[in-house]
Amino acid sequence: MNITKEQIDDLNAVVKVAITKEDYQDKVDTILKDYKKQANIPGFRKGQVPMGLIKKQYGKAVLVDEVNKLLQDNLNKYLTEEKLDVLGNPLPKQQDNFDWNQDELAFEFELGLAPNFEVALKTKKAITQYKIVADKKMIDEQVERIQKQYGKLVSKDAVSINDEVSGTFTNEAEEIDNKTLLETDKLKSKKALDALKGKKVGDVVTLQTKGLFNEDHMLSSALGIDKTKAESLDIEVTFTISEINEREPAELNQELFDKLFGPDSVKSEKELKERIKEDSEKQFEQQSDQKLLNDVTEYFIENTKFDLPSGFLTKWIQMTGEEPLSEEQASEEYAKSEKGLRYQLIEGKIIRDNDLQVQFDELKEFSKGFIRSQMAQFGQLDPKEEELDNIAARVLGNQDEVKRLSEQLMSQKLLNLYKEKANLKEKEVTYENFVKEVYG
């Protein structure tokens, strides 16, 4: 067997593979002998079928199969040994009227080669790195929410502002009949609030669905209907009151602090607010980090210039898809995927150039960090190390989880690298302003 490469240009090449009978004949003969031993052909006893008939019936299929195996194995070996960085897979060149009876079989494969380029981590343009802070307004609102959440319900005779009113929404035409809890401070409609004020248990109030709540998504759960239907719903519904309660805020005392954070972790209202600020800003950091990662990614895609073997990749998409594509459809698919492919190449280059690797011990500690966070959400604030190790072992026994966590850990390594090397400018903002700036 002989394999040679013809370089078309920097991004395209053709590999030529010449296979002689000596490369495959022994293997083909061995398989055909096995076929002869097992063949059941009418008119012949098992194992007594003439080899000529076996070759006539199975010879070409066995030959084609063995040659394809040879091509696959040796082509992959050649690409590895020659250190050719290919995009997609080699594409066989079409050969009409191919003669499988030749003494030497010649095949050609088109290759799309990865481009050579450099990535400048020290960006020319300064990229904004947001530092999101929890301001006094946010902290005070969070304290109010905590007091409300842990407060106690006090029964009332009549509805007033900030009450929790249980009742049933009904509309016969729309088949609505749903028991729910209505929090008056979440109502947007002043007309609805005025209609509810002063009402007592057993009273029936007529309300308009459109613009009823501060947040539109609340309507579907209140009425017990599909979200899509709720989006365009503009009807009158009746609300029959069954219970009226006022939530008395919990006192900011040691009992509440211990419920929230464990015994004696927080000992005053001041410490509570400091803890809320610290925890909130830790959560905000994840959002600002994701924004930074997205912005650096976009910068590299826009500013790292290199060509791709677009003709080859379009043909590869056309020929290797699950369903046949026209040239126009393949071009459209390539246009959709080009940006993602460019970043894959850029990211791969950054990882190689900076020797970023995910080691198993790092992955284990990374997974334990996730497990700690999840356990904390369910009140387990101080899990034992042995318990964490056991859960991590189960998680890392799942290959899908290993892949997911490895990708997240690599993203974290890339983010740390960008924070160290890229040209960043820090901007301190409240969460409210961050949302306005980033999401409009």
Side-chain angles (χ1 to χ4, degrees):
M1 179 180 295
N2 184 41
I3 302 180
T4 57
K5 177 170 71 77
E6 178 187 348
Q7 194 76 29
I8 306 302
D9 56 39
D10 289 343
L11 300 172
N12 295 274
V14 172
V15 169
K16 299 178 180 181
V17 184
I19 298 178
T20 63
K21 276 191 175 183
E22 287 77 14
D23 296 317
Y24 60 79
Q25 195 62 55
D26 287 348
K27 184 69 174 173
V28 169
D29 288 345
T30 300
I31 293 171
L32 291 175
K33 285 175 186 176
D34 289 339
Y35 276 29
K36 175 178 163 59
K37 291 176 187 176
Q38 303 298 326
N40 284 310
I41 296 178
F44 299 95
R45 284 185 297 165
K46 186 176 180 180
Q48 299 301 313
V49 181
M51 181 55 80
L53 186 57
I54 294 291
K55 285 183 178 180
K56 185 177 181 181
Q57 227 172 331
Y58 303 109
K60 186 173 181 181
V62 172
L63 169 63
V64 171
D65 189 47
E66 286 307 308
V67 168
N68 279 329
K69 286 179 184 175
L70 268 175
L71 283 171
Q72 190 69 40
D73 292 346
N74 286 279
L75 190 56
N76 287 339
K77 185 180 176 184
Y78 175 81
L79 296 178
T80 302
E81 289 176 348
E82 295 296 315
K83 297 179 181 177
L84 294 176
D85 191 1
V86 299
L87 302 179
N89 293 312
L91 286 179
K93 274 194 168 185
Q94 191 67 35
Q95 299 184 65
D96 297 327
N97 303 316
F98 188 80
D99 183 5
W100 286 94
N101 296 315
Q102 300 173 86
D103 287 340
E104 184 174 287
L105 303 175
F107 302 90
E108 293 186 0
F109 295 86
E110 296 178 61
L111 302 182
L113 304 177
N116 289 318
F117 60 92
E118 296 299 324
V119 182
L121 289 178
K122 189 69 174 177
T123 55
K124 291 181 180 178
K125 177 186 173 185
I127 298 172
T128 301
Q129 181 182 9
Y130 289 95
K131 182 182 179 183
I132 308 172
V133 295
D135 58 354
K136 183 178 183 301
K137 179 188 172 188
M138 170 177 277
I139 294 167
D140 289 343
E141 287 174 351
Q142 181 64 9
V143 170
E144 284 179 21
R145 279 194 289 271
I146 290 169
Q147 286 183 277
K148 186 175 180 181
Q149 181 183 348
Y150 287 89
K152 63 181 179 180
L153 292 176
V154 179
S155 181
K156 292 183 65 180
D157 293 329
V159 178
S160 60
I161 295 174
N162 297 327
D163 285 347
E164 296 182 10
V165 186
S166 297
T168 304
F169 276 112
T170 55
N171 179 293
E172 191 174 341
E174 295 291 337
E175 299 181 339
I176 294 170
D177 185 4
N178 191 58
K179 291 182 180 178
T180 190
L181 175 67
L182 200 62
E183 297 178 67
T184 55
D185 63 350
K186 292 182 180 176
L187 291 175
K188 180 180 181 181
S189 169
K190 186 177 184 301
K191 190 175 179 181
L193 275 170
D194 290 340
L196 283 163
K197 279 181 193 175
K199 294 297 185 291
K200 299 181 178 181
V201 171
D203 286 348
V204 179
V205 183
T206 300
L207 304 171
Q208 198 73 27
T209 58
K210 188 171 183 181
L212 183 58
F213 292 99
N214 290 325
E215 298 178 33
D216 292 338
H217 68 85
M218 296 176 70
L219 184 65
S220 63
S221 59
L223 302 184
I225 60 174
D226 181 75
K227 287 181 181 179
T228 306
K229 181 179 178 181
E231 285 174 3
S232 57
L233 196 65
D234 186 7
I235 60 170
E236 283 187 345
V237 288
T238 59
F239 183 69
T240 305
I241 298 171
S242 59
E243 189 178 350
I244 305 166
N245 291 298
E246 179 183 15
R247 190 171 286 273
E248 191 176 280
E251 288 185 38
L252 295 176
N253 55 25
Q254 195 60 48
E255 182 183 355
L256 176 62
F257 302 152
D258 290 349
K259 276 183 187 177
L260 291 169
F261 303 108
D264 295 326
S265 291
V266 169
K267 296 181 180 179
S268 66
E269 183 178 343
K270 181 184 177 185
E271 287 184 16
L272 171 66
K273 290 182 176 181
E274 288 172 354
R275 182 66 178 265
I276 290 171
K277 180 177 175 65
E278 180 186 337
D279 291 349
S280 297
E281 290 180 356
K282 197 175 290 183
Q283 291 180 354
F284 296 155
E285 193 175 334
Q286 294 175 3
Q287 294 184 56
S288 61
D289 279 352
Q290 188 59 56
K291 171 64 176 166
L292 177 60
L293 192 60
N294 292 344
D295 288 348
V296 174
T297 296
E298 287 296 324
Y299 178 90
F300 284 147
I301 291 171
E302 290 175 15
N303 293 277
T304 307
K305 304 299 182 184
F306 54 83
D307 292 327
L308 289 169
S310 54
F312 169 84
L313 290 169
T314 301
K315 189 189 292 187
W316 180 71
I317 291 170
Q318 184 180 8
M319 294 179 66
T320 59
E322 290 183 10
E323 296 180 5
L325 297 177
S326 68
E327 190 172 334
E328 184 179 353
Q329 288 172 320
S331 296
E332 288 174 2
E333 286 300 313
Y334 171 71
K336 290 177 189 175
S337 61
E338 182 183 355
K339 187 175 180 179
L341 174 58
R342 284 185 177 277
Y343 187 65
Q344 282 180 21
L345 292 170
I346 292 168
E347 187 183 76
K349 174 74 172 169
I350 293 170
I351 289 170
R352 289 191 302 274
D353 286 354
N354 294 277
D355 195 25
L356 300 182
Q357 300 176 26
V358 172
Q359 305 292 348
F360 180 77
D361 287 346
E362 289 180 303
L363 191 62
K364 183 179 177 182
E365 288 305 311
F366 189 68
S367 67
K368 283 163 69 174
F370 272 105
I371 295 163
R372 279 193 195 91
S373 299
Q374 290 174 336
M375 293 175 79
Q377 290 175 16
F378 294 97
Q380 292 178 267
L381 301 174
D382 191 23
K384 293 181 179 178
E385 198 67 22
E386 184 182 355
E387 186 179 6
L388 289 171
D389 285 334
N390 290 336
I391 298 173
R394 289 199 296 275
V395 169
L396 297 176
N398 183 319
Q399 288 305 307
D400 290 337
E401 284 297 301
V402 169
K403 183 175 183 293
R404 182 181 68 84
L405 289 168
S406 296
E407 288 172 353
Q408 290 183 357
L409 179 53
M410 182 54 75
S411 290
Q412 187 61 54
K413 285 175 173 280
L414 286 166
L415 181 65
N416 293 339
L417 179 70
Y418 299 155
K419 285 181 177 180
E420 179 188 346
K421 303 282 188 181
N423 179 14
L424 306 179
K425 59 176 181 182
E426 186 174 273
K427 183 174 184 179
E428 189 172 293
V429 291
T430 64
Y431 183 72
E432 186 178 356
N433 289 337
F434 173 78
V435 171
K436 284 179 184 176
E437 247 184 77
V438 174
Y439 304 109

